[in-house]
Amino acid sequence: MKKHNFSAGPCILPHEVFEKSAEAIINFNNSGLSILEISHRSKDFLAVMEEARMLVLNLLGLEGKGYQALFFHGGASMEFLMVPYNLMKVDGKAAYLDTGTWANNAIKEAKLFGETQIVASSKEANYNYVPKIYSIANDASYFHCTSNNTIFGTQMKSFPITTVPIVCDMSSDIFSRNLDFSQFDLIYAGAQKNLGPAGTTLVVVKEEILGKSGRTIPSILDYEKQIKAESMYNTPAVFPIYASLLTLRWLKKNGGIAAIEKINEAKANLLYSEIDRNCLFKGTANIEDRSSMNATFILENNAHQEDFDKMWTAAGISGLTGHRSIGGYRASMYNAMPIQSVQVLVAVMQELENKNK
């Protein structure tokens, strides 16, 4: 039986992506070869890379606006390094918003390259909210933020208006909601949430912001060189990129970001309504900053934990345990999560309440 996968990542993907990926592992494009063994320079894979990059810009509404879509190795953690390497000017500075563990990790890497200003932080409240009042220096090389925080269950609902280039880590909510993506000068995202399996990372960058740092950048870390090589500077992650293409096709076929946003809102509203209604549970993130992707909550009385854990496990639910750093529970509801799985979780929560009346 297929389980209800609430894992934060690697996470659930559309069933048809699994099916088509499985077919390609045996015989890709009727070539008699597996996707796992074809040349990354073959005509078939070059077509995969080209379509995937094109679909990214199409879905984000960035076609013809001076952006390039690239696929890299190294996860979002590599981008923590590549962003300041490419964008922070020598003897310059960058501005960072600290909203959680991954934002903090990005800040640590940026400090290796120059002055890194933390414009605001919610660390003192265990990152249970997103700061909204802060100023960004006009001479900063860029402003960096994390749109969604998987560990603490918060999400930025708006972004600052500034003349400084905006860089956003969208690893856990890319393609999940309508935004004006042209407000961002660089977006990056690990694939393993809403895009594909672990192993590749998407970067979408406005070309005009590049080449201004004054740094000598190692070739493999240089966005300009990667653009020139069309994401083929070295052997790309062939299978994860192919699976990502299948996910992008699935999203496009089903109405794109506008359509999936409505589904995601329905799932989030269903679960948060139960968390707020049920006397046994309590949400951990500020209501106005709650993430539609990752709902974090706790039991009001830990005496119910053993019973609750047995119940959701018996219901076929997987990956509900909160991050090891904060505990509690975390229900990740990425694009491919059907609302029926959320209904199963809500039913278990109600059953626990009924047993303890």
Side-chain angles (χ1 to χ4, degrees), residues 26 93 97 127 135 144 149 163 187 194 201 238 260 284-285 315 317 328 336 341 350 355:
I26 303 300
K93 60 187 176 186
L97 182 63
Y127 297 118
S135 60
H144 179 283
N149 301 286
T163 58
I187 297 165
N194 274 335
T201 308
V238 173
I260 204 68
T284 58
I317 290 172
S341 291
Q350 292 172 349
K355 285 178 65 176

Side-chain angles (χ1 to χ4, degrees), residues 305-351:
Q305 180 177 343
E306 183 177 356
D307 199 15
F308 182 53
D309 289 351
K310 288 179 180 179
M311 290 169 65
W312 61 258
T313 301
I317 290 172
S318 176
L320 194 64
T321 304
H323 190 272
R324 60 187 177 277
S325 63
I326 63 169
Y329 298 94
R330 172 176 53 177
S332 297
M333 301 171 286
Y334 299 119
N335 284 355
M337 164 71 69
I339 196 167
Q340 290 80 7
S341 291
V342 182
Q343 290 168 343
V344 169
L345 174 57
V346 167
V348 171
M349 296 167 73
Q350 292 172 349
E351 183 183 353

Side-chain angles (χ1 to χ4, degrees), residues 258-290:
I260 204 68
E261 180 181 39
K262 292 179 181 178
I263 296 171
N264 289 334
E265 287 178 348
K267 292 183 295 188
N269 288 338
L270 175 62
L271 182 54
Y272 283 124
S273 293
E274 181 60 26
I275 290 171
D276 293 339
R277 186 207 62 78
N278 194 314
C279 64
L280 299 184
F281 296 92
K282 179 182 178 180
T284 58
N286 274 17
I287 291 176
E288 63 182 5
D289 298 318
R290 282 173 165 175

Side-chain angles (χ1 to χ4, degrees), residues 185-247:
D185 296 87
L186 190 150
I187 297 165
Y188 64 90
Q192 65 274 11
K193 314 291 186 183
N194 274 335
L195 184 56
T200 192
T201 308
L202 173 65
V203 171
V204 180
V205 59
K206 198 169 190 176
E207 287 190 82
E208 67 180 31
I209 70 169
L210 300 177
K212 300 177 181 179
S213 69
R215 299 180 185 278
T216 299
I217 306 170
S219 296
I220 201 167
L221 302 179
D222 190 328
Y223 289 132
E224 288 189 302
K225 287 186 173 64
Q226 291 282 2
I227 289 170
K228 186 176 181 180
E230 299 181 330
S231 281
M232 302 286 285
Y233 182 83
N234 64 329
T235 305
V238 173
F239 179 72
I241 293 171
Y242 174 66
S244 296
L245 170 60
L246 295 178
T247 305

Side-chain angles (χ1 to χ4, degrees), residues 20 38 71 99 148 159 246 318 320 327 349 352:
K20 292 177 181 178
I38 64 166
F71 286 92
T99 54
N148 187 75
F159 298 85
L246 295 178
S318 176
L320 194 64
M349 296 167 73
L352 182 69

